[in-house]
Amino acid sequence: MPTPVVMPQMGESIAEGTIVRWLKKVGETVDRDEPLFEISTDKVDAEIPSPAAGVLTEITAHEGDTVAVNSVVASIAAAGEAARQPEPAAPAPSPAQPRKGAEKAAASTQPQADGGGTEEPKRVQRVQEVQEVQGVQEEDARRQKSSPLVRRIAREHNVDITRIPGSGIGGRVTKHDILGFIESGAPESAPSVVGRVPARPEAMRAGPAGTRPADSGARVEIQPLSVMRKKIAEHMVLSRRTSAHVHSVFHVNLSTIEKIRHEKKADYERVGAKLTYMAFIAKAVIDALRRFPIVNASIDGDNVVYKRDINLGIAVALDSGLIVPVLKHADEKNLLGLSRGIVDLAERARARQLKPDDVHDGTFTITNPGQFGAQFGMPIINQPQVAILGVGTIEKRPVVVDDAIAIRTMAYLTLGFDHRLIDGAVADEFMAFVKNQLENFDANQV
């Protein structure tokens, strides 16, 4: 029996993925765990391994297709097993042939002709009208079969889903479709009863977000957004609409950390590890999350979900975008384990060797805009988390120490938090704890 190949779950907030490239063709042999196809989401670009060894007999989702997680995208037959022949599709009814139900409905409402064929054209016209209405209603019904998230966004923005051309399977309206519709500036309206709104010619010429083509005389180069860039855009816009973002910035003295790094750096390198500032910051954040578990929680409707595990997301910048691999059970690791884990995730992310489990179940995220020189940033929360820490550039600065000017290694740390759940006082207590841990780091933990 053929083995189905499904779109994997790449993260708890990811409902679909886009197939970028098939690495095998129909009829080619494939080994178990051999890379089969590449996908892209807002969190990761990854090569998906084959679930079984055999022959690729069928591909049902092609390059560029966006499909829901757990959807079958291909089939693999065991070596020697006859390829399953697809059953011929039932012939579609000819448009010229009226549906029996529609003909019967039209006939029941049409009086019999008295003198020949004077009523026949009207009866045929009624049948065609009924067919058109039924066809529109069936198409609208398919569009309305969307995810709860899409329907919630539609309710919040008073958008009629039946007005949106669906790009999903069977005309399903995806999150990308509805966000693109809203961002295009389409007018909000109450749901219509029957029928579709005809597309405007200018909308047909516009891009996915309603942008107009550039003037023919302009010296420009137009390229479509990458799949990852589209997914990041959707995720960030959704996060801003979901969470009440507030940011708090602390100036932190990292001179003690710098001294410890200088003393212990060689010891770590001898065991194949890098003692980075990020490892120290991660350790301080983990201690703070233990003390303030609400910062490690999430919101589910009217409930607060407290996470017992601390799974630390570490944002990694790529040429094509940003991904957030997750260091699982980070609270169970010492400083050496954190150092190794953070470096391993970053290297595999840049080499596109992350596995689906590597971007799943994050509870808190750290991002580092300071590596490029930013003094600090105002990061967007990584849904469904409720907080994110931004690390500014780490550099020597003049500061006041005991009423005198001194040079210290300093950095700005920014906490972005969801004010629906976390109050400013709690956020500042959390950051004060992180600051104290870093400025008074216990060298015995190294």
Side-chain angles (χ1 to χ4, degrees), residues 13 16 149-150 153 173-180 234 238:
S13 60
E16 58 191 14
L149 173 62
V150 171
I153 295 174
V173 177
T174 66
K175 182 176 68 174
H176 174 72
D177 296 331
I178 191 168
L179 291 180
E234 294 172 7
L238 178 63

Side-chain angles (χ1 to χ4, degrees), residues 92-399:
S94 171
Q97 296 176 349
R99 295 185 181 91
K100 293 182 179 180
E103 184 177 2
K104 183 177 180 180
S108 64
T109 58
Q110 184 69 28
Q112 297 293 329
D114 293 332
T118 58
E119 295 294 335
E120 183 63 22
K122 293 183 179 180
R123 188 181 71 81
V124 173
Q125 182 179 1
R126 288 286 185 88
V127 170
Q128 292 175 344
E129 290 175 355
V130 172
Q131 284 182 261
E132 292 175 358
V133 171
Q134 289 179 342
V136 170
Q137 289 175 333
E138 289 176 2
E139 183 174 350
D140 290 345
R142 286 197 302 271
R143 290 178 182 170
Q144 289 174 338
K145 290 181 180 178
S146 52
S147 67
L149 173 62
V150 171
R151 293 195 293 272
R152 179 172 65 82
I153 295 174
R155 288 195 303 270
E156 291 176 353
H157 294 271
N158 196 25
V159 172
D160 181 6
I161 294 181
T162 62
R163 297 181 56 192
I164 306 174
S167 63
I169 298 174
R172 170 178 167 268
V173 177
T174 66
K175 182 176 68 174
H176 174 72
D177 296 331
I178 191 168
L179 291 180
F181 182 82
I182 295 171
E183 291 299 318
S184 68
E188 299 177 354
S189 63
S192 59
V193 178
V194 174
R196 286 174 291 172
V197 177
R200 296 173 296 175
E202 59 269 24
M204 297 175 64
R205 295 193 298 268
T211 56
R212 298 295 183 87
D215 295 338
S216 58
R219 293 177 57 83
V220 299
E221 179 182 354
I222 301 176
Q223 295 182 353
L225 287 173
S226 66
V227 174
M228 175 177 277
R229 195 73 261 164
K230 289 180 181 178
K231 299 298 182 181
I232 291 174
E234 294 172 7
H235 196 54
M236 294 298 98
V237 170
L238 178 63
S239 181
R240 294 290 292 184
R241 289 181 177 144
T242 300
S243 297
H245 279 70
V246 181
H247 294 85
S248 185
V249 183
F250 275 60
H251 204 195
V252 181
N253 185 348
L254 298 179
S255 299
T256 299
I257 301 298
E258 182 186 32
K259 180 181 177 181
I260 295 174
R261 285 186 69 243
H262 181 73
E263 295 174 350
K264 301 291 185 178
K265 185 177 180 180
D267 295 339
Y268 272 61
E269 289 177 348
R270 277 194 290 269
V271 295
K274 296 180 180 179
L275 187 57
T276 64
Y277 284 105
M278 182 59 70
F280 288 94
I281 294 171
K283 183 66 172 67
V285 166
I286 291 167
D287 293 341
L289 291 173
R290 285 198 191 105
R291 189 179 183 90
F292 301 91
I294 195 171
V295 184
N296 197 54
S298 64
I299 298 177
D300 182 12
D302 294 331
N303 300 317
V304 179
V305 181
Y306 289 92
K307 312 292 180 63
R308 295 182 178 179
D309 296 327
I310 296 178
N311 298 331
L312 211 55
I314 306 293
V316 179
L318 305 176
D319 292 339
S320 56
L322 186 77
I323 59 178
V324 187
V326 177
L327 188 61
K328 300 293 182 63
H329 306 291
D331 52 321
E332 299 176 2
K333 303 180 185 297
N334 58 17
L335 195 65
L336 177 60
L338 291 173
S339 299
R340 285 175 168 166
I342 291 171
V343 171
D344 172 67
L345 287 175
E347 289 178 348
R348 288 196 290 119
R350 296 187 180 102
R352 301 181 65 179
Q353 294 179 349
L354 292 174
K355 299 178 181 178
D357 191 55
D358 291 329
V359 293
H360 189 64
D361 291 335
T363 61
F364 185 92
T365 297
I366 300 177
T367 184
N368 184 19
Q371 63 181 313
F372 303 111
Q375 292 295 303
F376 57 86
M378 298 293 179
I380 297 176
I381 297 168
N382 186 16
Q383 297 295 324
Q385 299 166 24
V386 293
I388 183 172
L389 183 76
V391 180
T393 189
I394 299 173
E395 60 185 5
K396 292 185 180 296
R397 298 178 190 143
V399 294

